[in-house]
């Protein structure tokens, strides 16, 4: 990714990471976290929503809530923590 503008390199790395998650929830949350906290909130939210639609794992819900807490978005974290 050398020689690319920082945003281009970051986008390429995120796309590469998405293809390597193999549907794993922890990996998907990790990519979503990078997107969300990196300012690409809509993309991160989309990954979180897709995962929440297919999982009932308490640990996944909690880890997504933690991302919202890091972003100081309490209104998004609270319903997840209440689950």
């Amino acid at each position: 990714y050398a020689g690319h503008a920082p945003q281009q390199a970051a986008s390429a790395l995120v796309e590469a990471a998405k293809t390597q998650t193999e549907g794993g929830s922890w990996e998907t949350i990790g990519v979503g976290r990078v997107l969300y906290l990196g300012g690409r909130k809509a993309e991160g939210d989309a990954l979180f929503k897709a995962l929440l639609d297919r999982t009932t794992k308490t640990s996944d819900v909690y880890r997504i809530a933690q991302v919202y807490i890091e972003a100081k978005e309490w209104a998004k974290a609270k319903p997840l923590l209440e689950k």
Side-chain angles (χ1 to χ4, degrees):
Y1 303 96
H4 288 63
Q7 286 291 15
Q8 282 181 313
S11 290
L13 288 168
V14 166
E15 291 307 313
K18 282 182 186 177
T19 65
Q20 295 176 15
T21 65
E22 297 177 359
S25 61
W26 284 56
E27 295 85 352
T28 300
I29 293 168
V31 172
R33 180 178 180 275
V34 167
L35 288 167
Y36 199 86
L37 297 177
R40 294 166 62 177
K41 291 182 177 185
E43 292 175 73
D45 267 336
L47 286 178
F48 296 151
K49 183 183 178 331
L51 182 58
L52 290 169
D53 286 347
R54 71 173 199 263
T55 189
T56 57
K57 291 182 190 175
T58 305
S59 62
D60 291 343
V61 175
Y62 180 74
R63 290 183 71 233
I64 293 169
Q66 285 180 304
V67 175
Y68 291 134
I69 289 168
E70 284 182 78
K72 297 186 181 2
E73 295 191 16
W74 316 115
K76 287 186 174 186
K78 185 178 179 186
L80 296 175
L81 293 171
E82 289 174 342
K83 278 187 176 183

